[in-house]
Structure formats: structure tokens, C-alpha cells
């Protein structure tokens, strides 16, 4: 078993769960129901990604990975946070 793959999967799971927490909190700041629904959908997508990586991890190791997550802190207005996040997500595609 290649440990570098295992470590990458752990990072991916942690990142996706952290993103899920982020979007869940951001949704609570949304100015209207439509934007809240969009952000909540993004949170669900992140959770789905984490679950997919978790399945691969379990197939490879026989165990579940429980990441340690840092507390999410949202600084700025809803719009500022959203713009910042778009740039972060745009850079994330390079990881995968």
C-alpha cells in the first residue's frame, strides 16, 4: 500500500469536511432564501466529496478516517467571504 496515497486521501477528506463546515456556516449568513439554498447545495456537494474519498480510504486501509477539523471563522461580509472563497476554490482544482 502506497502511504503517499493514504496521506493524500486524508488531506482530501479533511479539506472536504472543512469546506462542508465553511459552507454550512456561510449559508446562515446568506441574505435571502435563494442564496441560502445555493450555498447549502455547495455544502452538500463538499460532504458528498468527503464521503467518496472516505469510501476509497476504507477500501484501501480497512478503516475509517476521522479528521481533526479546525473551527471555521468567517471574517468579513457575506459578499467579501464569498468572493474570497471563489478564488480559493479556483485554486483547489489543482490538488485533484
Amino acid at each position: 500500500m502506497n502511504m503517499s496515497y493514504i496521506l493524500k486521501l486524508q488531506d482530501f477528506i479533511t479539506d472536504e469536511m472543512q469546506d462542508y463546515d465553511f459552507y454550512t456556516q456561510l449559508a446562515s449568513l446568506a441574505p435571502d432564501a435563494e442564496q441560502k439554498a445555493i450555498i447549502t447545495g455547495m455544502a452538500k456537494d463538499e460532504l458528498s466529496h468527503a464521503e467518496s474519498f472516505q469510501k476509497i480510504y476504507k477500501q484501501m486501509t480497512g478503516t475509517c478516517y476521522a479528521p481533526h477539523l479546525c473551527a471555521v471563522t468567517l471574517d468579513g461580509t457575506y459578499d467579501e467571504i464569498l468572493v474570497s472563497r471563489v478564488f480559493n476554490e479556483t485554486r483547489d482544482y489543482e490538488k485533484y
Side-chain angles (χ1 to χ4, degrees):
M1 177 179 336
N2 188 328
M3 283 307 293
S4 69
Y5 291 140
I6 301 304
L7 294 174
K8 283 183 182 183
L9 278 171
Q10 289 176 347
D11 286 344
F12 294 163
I13 293 165
T14 301
D15 288 348
E16 298 296 336
M17 290 301 299
Q18 199 74 47
D19 291 347
Y20 168 75
D21 285 349
F22 174 87
Y23 286 121
T24 299
Q25 286 191 35
L26 184 61
S28 70
L29 301 177
D32 58 52
E34 181 180 12
Q35 289 186 52
K36 183 174 185 168
I38 291 168
I39 301 298
T40 299
M42 293 168 73
K44 289 179 182 177
D45 284 346
E46 299 295 346
L47 183 59
S48 174
H49 300 160
E51 290 169 345
S52 294
F53 287 131
Q54 199 57 276
K55 286 179 187 175
I56 295 167
Y57 185 89
K58 186 166 185 173
Q59 289 173 345
M60 292 180 74
T61 67
T63 63
C64 290
Y65 175 65
H68 172 75
L69 302 178
C70 300
V72 174
T73 303
L74 302 180
D75 292 322
T77 67
Y78 173 80
D79 290 339
E80 291 169 342
I81 295 166
L82 196 55
V83 168
S84 174
R85 193 61 182 186
V86 168
F87 290 118
N88 289 340
E89 288 289 335
T90 302
R91 285 191 300 267
D92 276 353
Y93 84 93
E94 295 172 357
K95 289 191 299 191
Y96 305 111

